[in-house]
Amino acid sequence: MAPQAIISQLIGLLLLPVFCLGAVFEDFRELPRQDYDFIVIGGGTAGNVVANRLSEDSKISVLVLEAGGSNEGIFESTVPGLYYQLPGSRVDWNYTALSGPGNLTFPYTRGFVLGGSSSINWMAYTRGSSDDWDRYAALTRDPGWSWDNMQTFIRMNEHFTQPSDRHDTTGEFDPSAHGFYGINSVSLSGYRHKFEDLLIKASQADGSEFPFVLDYNAGNQLGIGWAQSTILNGMRSSSATSYLGPDFIGRPNLHVLLHSHVTHVLPTHSKSTSFHTVEFSQDDGATLHTVNATKEIVLCSGTIGTPQLLMNSGIGDSDALVTLGIQPLIHLPSVGQNLTEQPTIAYPWVVNDSDSDLDGVITSNATLVEAFTRKWNDSRTGPFVDPPITAFGWFRLPDSSPIFERFADPSAGPNTAHVEWAVLNSGLVIPFNSTNKSVSLSPIVVSPASRGSITLTSSDPFDHPIINLNLLSSDFDIYALREGLRNITRFIETNVDIFDGFLVSSGISRDINVTTATDEELEAYIRKNVGITLHIVGTAGMSPKGASWGVVDPDLRVKGAKGLRVVDASVFPRVPAGHTMSPTYLIAERGAHLIKTSWDLDGVQDEDEA
Ligand SMILES: Cc1cc2nc3c(=O)[nH]c(=O)nc-3n(C[C@H](O)[C@H](O)[C@H](O)COP(=O)(O)OP(=O)(O)OC[C@H]3O[C@@H](n4cnc5c(N)ncnc54)[C@H](O)[C@@H]3O)c2cc1C
Ligand SMILES: *[C@@H]1O[C@H](CO)[C@@H](O)[C@H](O)[C@H]1NC(C)=O
Ligand SMILES: *[C@@H]1O[C@H](CO)[C@@H](O)[C@H](O)[C@H]1NC(C)=O
Ligand SMILES: *[C@@H]1O[C@H](CO)[C@@H](O)[C@H](O)[C@H]1NC(C)=O
Ligand SMILES: *[C@@H]1O[C@H](CO)[C@@H](O)[C@H](O)[C@H]1NC(C)=O
Ligand SMILES: *[C@@H]1O[C@H](CO)[C@@H](O)[C@H](O)[C@H]1NC(C)=O
Ligand SMILES: *[C@@H]1O[C@H](CO)[C@@H](O)[C@H](O)[C@H]1NC(C)=O
Ligand SMILES: *[C@@H]1O[C@H](CO)[C@@H](O)[C@H](O)[C@H]1NC(C)=O
Ligand SMILES: *[C@@H]1O[C@H](CO)[C@@H](O)[C@H](O)[C@H]1NC(C)=O
Ligand SMILES: *[C@@H]1O[C@H](CO)[C@@H](O)[C@H](O)[C@H]1NC(C)=O
Ligand SMILES: *[C@@H]1O[C@H](CO)[C@@H](O)[C@H](O)[C@H]1NC(C)=O
Ligand SMILES: *[C@@H]1O[C@H](CO)[C@@H](O)[C@H](O)[C@H]1NC(C)=O
């Protein structure tokens, strides 16, 4: 044990009557114990919720093992407007994903830092529709996942706050749909750009074909509305800053060990399906350490990390595991399957420079970045108090669409979008070089029909798995993107009186004119230019107890195993029609509740008390 570790432990003993201070550790030798009631693998979006809720019972000890480092002091993670500097940096796992057929690859970002992807994402707060949650209840045969029942967990998670500019938010959201006493902060934008103002104006115009929705998080999401984001007073609110914030991290029964890459969960003996030991390394596998969970191991490593860890530990398709030289323990062929990503097409519009207050940020205008950063530093004002998305639209294909003669509707129901319109005020997604300033209004298929997979290339837990997004493998997804592009174009062109003088021309007009292009031309354009949204889910999906498919039961226990649960974005059996962070927080709040209930821990919330 390092001398300074001994000294710090002695100080802890002298200052507190308890055996040790709750703390964040860097080195396993500092860890005060080798067994805990619960071990949480991955201190990400979901993992920190689970750690917080389980450690509410002071008799229970909880350890979080996180592969990445601390989020403290990472300035670009704190300033919402610097979101674009995070992918590809030291806080990114730097995965590469295959698009599927064709040879496109994408850098696929995941958070490698405490807070996981909530420390590096775009902060959009979208819960999906009421239909989405009711479908989870139906698919898993557990009414506990229904929209009505999830209201308790929404309230436990959400702390709705004033935006940093303290503007009057009347008419911008529905207060009755929000929680004001939860842990993670949410707010409306604190800086108004011209684009979202015009967009909302157009949606509110008399007889608009694309109407305004007061609050897309209230169950029925359809329409155009103001964005809500996980932000507190102009700063990112992540699971690390909130669920492991100052009010909680001092709990003596909660320990976090950073720089700890978990390699395997180990059974109690070689043929057992009961898991109590977690193996990890702090030096890329040169030295392995173990810790034991006396109650449960909770996998919270995300849609890539969780199926990878399960397969490396012998839980997956047995034949495939044998081929890789991994001893199979539990045959669960659904592990890694049903991966779902939401495809998009970047649709930028050139804006009239003399009329714009915009960015230039992504095109690396260092002068502007510095000016906006100074403004943020000095007064928490200016464009950097917000993430890139400041308004949304959510729309369905009409029931009469010919595509439904060939495909069952992949959406969860009539309140639920097939296509999202995402408003971006910076030119991040601009697909051509241009010095012109731009905004974008891009379609995303939020209820896609294509499915991909995560598979291993070897038995080495440090090798990246194959992430096959399999985008556009269903014609439904192409159809929805095509109609999304057409509707966005029509929306702007029919509101020319509102947008005129600001939106000058469509950014993709150099390659294609959306208004005049044939179906085939648009399809070819979409195939060539398809983009990703980083919303993968589904690789350890929930299914009913006893089902022949799926990875976890509705209480999130791994099928056929003892002592193992999965609580993260991999358990969604279908992708919610929205961005996936808030739904993951909700899975984690209920997941923690289920664990606490089964072990009869203190502080179990009554599910009916919304
Ligand atoms: C750049 C980006 C932008 C996004 N924008 C939005 C948005 O605006 N709104 C939205 O709703 N969603 C957004 N998403 C998606 C959203 O962030 C994720 O769906 C969600 O955070 C997933 O949560 P999780 O708990 O499943 O995984 P994560 O939050 O990724 O947590 C997994 C954690 O496990 C750790 N881990 C993994 N493997 C191991 C291992 N073997 N050993 C130890 N630790 C391990 C990781 O380091 C990480 O900390 C975005 C994602 C990205 C990457
Ligand atoms: C963890 O459990 C294993 C298997 O039961 C046991 O061999 C080992 O000694 C335990 N380790 C600790 C630190 O308790
Ligand atoms: C990701 O790439 C960046 C840039 O090369 C690097 O600094 C970082 O360490 C990489 N992340 C990981 C987890 O290796
Ligand atoms: C993918 O790349 C391979 C080898 O580089 C090439 O043979 C193949 O034609 C490509 N496929 C497509 C669909 O572009
Ligand atoms: C994928 O999920 C669907 C439910 O959405 C299920 O019917 C199917 O069996 C799953 N496939 C696999 C391989 O698990
Ligand atoms: C950066 O932005 C500033 C302020 O709008 C502008 O004066 C300058 O020309 C821009 N620089 C470049 C390289 O575009
Ligand atoms: C803003 O503050 C950060 C951190 O305090 C500092 O590193 C940076 O230089 C400041 N930037 C400007 C432009 O003031
Ligand atoms: C496109 O617009 C039409 C006409 O308003 C509407 O019926 C349809 O649902 C819209 N589709 C999408 C994907 O927005
Ligand atoms: C984009 O920029 C590169 C390098 O600056 C240049 O070679 C290329 O011609 C540009 N392309 C377009 C379409 O302007
Ligand atoms: C881009 O800006 C230049 C001058 O700044 C202008 O001549 C050109 O027409 C603009 N392009 C578009 C597509 O508006
Ligand atoms: C750009 O905006 C200015 C100021 O509002 C206006 O005078 C000008 O006509 C606009 N230019 C275009 C091309 O719409
Ligand atoms: C696309 O074509 C339509 C119809 O010919 C035309 O009115 C419109 O200006 C064109 N759009 C662009 C961006 O060139």
Side-chain angles (χ1 to χ4, degrees):
M1 194 182 277
Q4 62 271 42
I6 294 172
I7 290 165
S8 69
Q9 273 194 51
L10 284 174
I11 291 170
L13 283 168
L14 292 173
L15 293 180
L16 280 182
V18 290
F19 83 94
C20 180
L21 282 164
V24 178
F25 301 101
E26 305 260 336
D27 185 327
F28 85 101
R29 286 167 298 187
E30 298 171 89
L31 213 54
R33 46 197 297 181
Q34 268 99 51
D35 58 73
Y36 287 83
D37 289 307
F38 293 95
I39 298 175
V40 173
I41 305 177
T45 311
N48 295 337
V49 175
V50 173
N52 176 307
R53 294 302 181 187
L54 295 181
S55 63
E56 281 177 341
D57 184 332
S58 60
K59 299 184 298 300
I60 292 299
S61 57
V62 179
L63 172 67
V64 177
L65 292 171
E66 166 55 41
S70 173
N71 60 302
E72 299 256 327
I74 300 180
F75 186 62
E76 58 279 23
S77 171
T78 307
V79 184
L82 294 177
Y83 69 93
Y84 68 95
Q85 295 184 4
L86 293 160
S89 77
R90 69 198 148 125
V91 290
D92 185 355
W93 279 84
N94 302 324
Y95 293 111
T96 298
L98 300 169
S99 81
N103 289 330
L104 289 179
T105 60
F106 299 101
Y108 208 86
T109 301
R110 293 286 101 182
F112 181 77
V113 60
L114 200 58
S117 297
S118 77
S119 288
I120 66 160
N121 71 12
W122 287 16
M123 295 157 270
Y125 179 78
T126 71
R127 301 172 184 162
S129 70
S130 57
D131 298 328
D132 280 320
W133 293 94
D134 290 342
R135 180 163 66 176
Y136 297 142
L139 260 176
T140 62
R141 300 200 199 114
D142 175 358
W145 292 113
S146 69
W147 173 254
D148 283 350
N149 196 59
M150 291 306 289
Q151 296 307 310
T152 303
F153 303 106
I154 289 175
R155 298 298 184 281
M156 288 168 74
N157 171 248
E158 185 183 26
H159 174 209
F160 201 89
T161 60
Q162 289 203 341
S164 60
D165 66 355
R166 305 286 186 272
H167 75 269
D168 178 6
T169 53
T170 313
E172 295 185 1
F173 78 115
D174 174 2
S176 73
H178 290 273
F180 296 83
Y181 305 101
I183 290 182
N184 193 44
S185 296
V186 175
S187 89
L188 290 152
S189 306
Y191 178 86
R192 268 296 121 83
H193 303 85
K194 184 150 186 179
F195 187 34
E196 62 263 18
D197 254 337
L198 298 179
L199 187 86
I200 299 284
K201 214 171 267 164
S203 74
Q204 291 173 332
D206 209 21
S208 173
E209 194 186 333
F210 303 99
F212 179 67
V213 59
L214 175 63
D215 201 316
Y216 62 82
N217 276 325
N220 181 350
Q221 60 179 184
L222 302 176
I224 291 175
W226 301 103
Q228 302 164 15
S229 311
T230 47
I231 286 188
L232 174 62
N233 191 28
M235 291 179 282
R236 178 191 295 267
S237 178
S238 69
S239 75
T241 66
S242 61
Y243 282 89
L244 295 186
D247 291 348
F248 309 111
I249 195 62
R251 285 178 185 162
N253 57 333
L254 171 59
H255 297 160
V256 177
L257 182 60
L258 301 172
H259 314 296
S260 299
H261 187 128
V262 173
T263 48
H264 297 98
V265 291
L266 301 172
T268 43
H269 58 83
S270 69
K271 294 252 162 61
S272 164
T273 51
S274 182
F275 294 81
H276 287 288
T277 303
V278 179
E279 178 197 79
F280 66 97
S281 177
Q282 295 203 300
D283 52 14
D284 297 329
T287 325
L288 297 174
H289 312 289
T290 58
V291 276
N292 286 349
T294 52
K295 291 191 165 60
E296 287 190 35
I297 298 168
V298 190
L299 272 72
C300 303
S301 314
T303 306
I304 300 169
T306 286
Q308 180 179 21
L309 188 51
L310 287 172
M311 289 186 279
N312 270 313
S313 305
I315 303 170
D317 183 276
S318 294
D319 291 342
L321 295 179
V322 167
T323 311
L324 293 165
I326 296 168
Q327 152 98 57
L329 291 174
I330 301 176
H331 180 58
L332 280 183
S334 293
V335 174
Q337 300 301 305
N338 261 342
L339 175 141
T340 310
E341 170 67 312
Q342 298 169 331
T344 185
I345 290 287
Y347 197 0
W349 294 74
V350 173
V351 300
N352 180 348
D353 197 26
S354 64
D355 197 27
S356 144
D357 52 14
L358 290 169
D359 67 271
V361 171
I362 309 306
T363 43
S364 312
N365 186 328
T367 318
L368 272 180
V369 172
E370 178 165 341
F372 291 167
T373 307
R374 179 162 311 112
K375 210 158 188 209
W376 187 93
N377 277 0
D378 293 348
S379 58
R380 296 287 186 278
T381 59
F384 277 9
V385 300
D386 294 327
I389 301 183
T390 49
F392 290 107
W394 308 93
F395 295 103
R396 285 180 67 72
L397 296 167
D399 292 342
S400 60
S401 295
I403 194 76
F404 293 128
E405 290 161 18
R406 290 170 53 210
F407 291 93
D409 183 352
S411 80
N415 285 345
T416 311
H418 297 110
V419 179
E420 171 191 332
W421 299 3
V423 169
L424 262 75
N425 277 289
S426 55
L428 175 71
V429 293
I430 202 158
F432 57 87
N433 335 341
S434 167
T435 54
N436 300 69
K437 291 187 176 177
S438 69
V439 292
S440 64
L441 185 54
S442 306
I444 300 172
V445 185
V446 286
S447 302
S450 304
R451 299 286 181 270
S453 63
I454 304 273
T455 47
L456 300 185
T457 55
S458 78
S459 61
D460 181 347
F462 292 90
D463 281 350
H464 283 182
I466 298 172
I467 304 161
N468 187 349
L469 302 173
N470 209 16
L471 298 178
L472 309 182
S473 58
S474 167
D475 285 347
F476 175 86
D477 300 353
I478 292 181
Y479 184 92
L481 279 175
R482 196 176 76 203
E483 295 313 307
L485 283 171
R486 284 180 170 152
N487 274 8
I488 287 169
T489 309
R490 206 172 64 227
F491 170 73
I492 289 178
E493 286 175 356
T494 55
N495 286 293
V496 68
D497 51 325
I498 291 175
F499 292 111
D500 198 24
F502 178 68
L503 292 189
V504 178
S505 74
S506 141
I508 62 181
S509 63
R510 291 171 192 199
D511 292 314
I512 198 163
N513 182 326
V514 174
T515 311
T516 55
T518 62
D519 287 357
E520 292 70 30
E521 285 164 346
L522 275 172
E523 172 168 349
Y525 182 83
I526 289 165
R527 284 198 185 281
K528 191 163 154 233
N529 293 285
V530 63
I532 54 175
T533 49
L534 300 165
H535 290 163
I536 47 168
V537 302
T539 53
M542 282 190 269
S543 69
K545 275 208 165 89
S548 61
W549 58 281
V551 176
V552 296
D553 282 342
D555 61 5
L556 308 182
R557 288 184 219 256
V558 175
K559 289 174 186 290
K562 264 201 177 143
L564 272 193
R565 290 197 215 223
V566 176
V567 184
D568 61 30
S570 56
V571 306
F572 290 105
R574 307 291 297 255
V575 71
H579 302 218
T580 43
M581 165 184 56
S582 158
T584 304
Y585 274 126
L586 303 185
I587 289 278
E589 282 283 11
R590 182 157 191 262
H593 166 87
L594 292 169
I595 297 171
K596 289 171 85 163
T597 305
S598 68
W599 291 97
D600 202 15
L601 304 192
D602 290 350
V604 176
Q605 196 94 8
D606 180 352
E607 281 203 59
D608 297 328
E609 130 203 333

